[in-house]
Amino acid sequence: MRSPQADCEVKAWLDAQSEAFRGLLGLEVLEWRGREMALDQDETERPLWRLPNVEVLQLDRLEAIGAETSICVTTIQNDDHFGLKLQAPWLADWQSGFDLSVPVDASPFLDDPKSIFRDVRLPQLPIGKIEDVSVRLSEEGGDIGTVTLLIGNAVVSMKAAEVYPGFDGSITIVDLDESILVQVDGAHPDDQIAGPHV
């Protein structure tokens, strides 16, 4: 059980993060990039990036590149759960290990075909001005569980969760876990029209 002071600190952090996510309103997104995490591996330990009936893109981080500023969404651990975290130039902890100047083509995972991570450009996500932002806290109130962005007429959803494949072919999605699950209009971004949604 946390102390009252710790609860106040968590609330202050959540308020600041929620406000920072809402501060994305009006940001013009020119490009999306991310560090994708494989959903599973095949019998030769090669990564599987798509699975039947799994309608999410699983990322370790998601970057929105703008003309004048860029942001990075990651997750942060809070006891047994994880929530979404925004890293942006207007937040004090911006310099926390994510260098958005490193090109995707210089990814440290390029030479490892069995790596479950890959740095990717994400042209399947809509670009343009962020016209609305919604932030939803977890039921426990200690984490940012979901953030949705409206860009044109497309809804980009980011959720702190992770996909767990079973040996029998079943799929379990665990909420408030350490990955970011992304959808566009409720489906896998690859199934949407690439480029601007107007």
Side-chain angles (χ1 to χ4, degrees):
M1 185 171 170
R2 286 194 298 245
S3 69
Q5 180 180 352
D7 284 339
C8 287
E9 290 172 357
V10 168
K11 183 181 183 310
W13 187 88
L14 277 172
D15 289 346
Q17 278 284 310
S18 297
E19 193 60 34
F21 272 111
R22 292 185 189 101
L24 298 178
L25 188 68
L27 178 69
E28 186 84 21
V29 180
L30 303 178
E31 179 187 3
W32 293 94
R33 298 189 305 209
R35 177 161 292 163
E36 188 174 5
M37 179 178 171
L39 297 170
D40 200 358
Q41 292 176 292
D42 66 15
E43 60 279 357
T44 67
E45 297 185 352
R46 290 188 178 267
L48 298 173
W49 306 104
R50 288 294 304 263
L51 292 175
N53 303 316
V54 178
E55 294 301 314
V56 295
L57 174 67
Q58 182 167 259
L59 301 172
D60 180 59
R61 62 192 254 197
L62 176 63
E63 303 163 7
I65 312 300
E68 298 180 2
T69 191
S70 300
I71 60 98
C72 182
V73 180
T74 61
T75 57
I76 186 169
Q77 187 168 9
N78 177 20
D79 293 330
D80 293 333
H81 296 129
F82 289 80
L84 297 176
K85 176 186 177 184
L86 179 67
Q87 295 174 269
W90 56 90
L91 291 173
D93 63 350
W94 172 245
Q95 298 297 336
S96 58
F98 291 97
D99 183 357
L100 299 183
S101 67
V102 175
V104 169
D105 297 340
S107 169
F109 308 108
L110 277 179
D111 297 326
D112 184 359
K114 292 187 176 182
S115 174
I116 63 167
F117 293 103
R118 64 180 180 179
D119 291 323
V120 291
R121 291 184 179 87
L122 299 167
Q124 64 269 53
L125 296 183
I127 57 174
K129 185 179 289 187
I130 296 175
E131 299 173 6
D132 191 31
V133 181
S134 174
V135 178
R136 193 174 78 210
L137 299 182
S138 63
E139 288 184 11
E140 296 83 4
D143 304 282
I144 296 175
T146 305
V147 173
T148 56
L149 309 175
L150 178 65
I151 301 176
N153 64 358
V155 176
V156 178
S157 172
M158 298 172 279
K159 180 179 184 179
E162 193 157 322
V163 175
Y164 288 91
F167 292 111
D168 59 355
S170 63
I171 296 294
T172 302
I173 295 179
V174 177
D175 289 341
L176 300 177
D177 213 327
E178 60 187 313
S179 293
I180 305 165
L181 303 187
V182 179
Q183 291 186 312
V184 176
D185 296 333
H188 195 291
D190 287 354
D191 297 333
Q192 304 301 317
I193 298 172
H197 286 52
V198 292

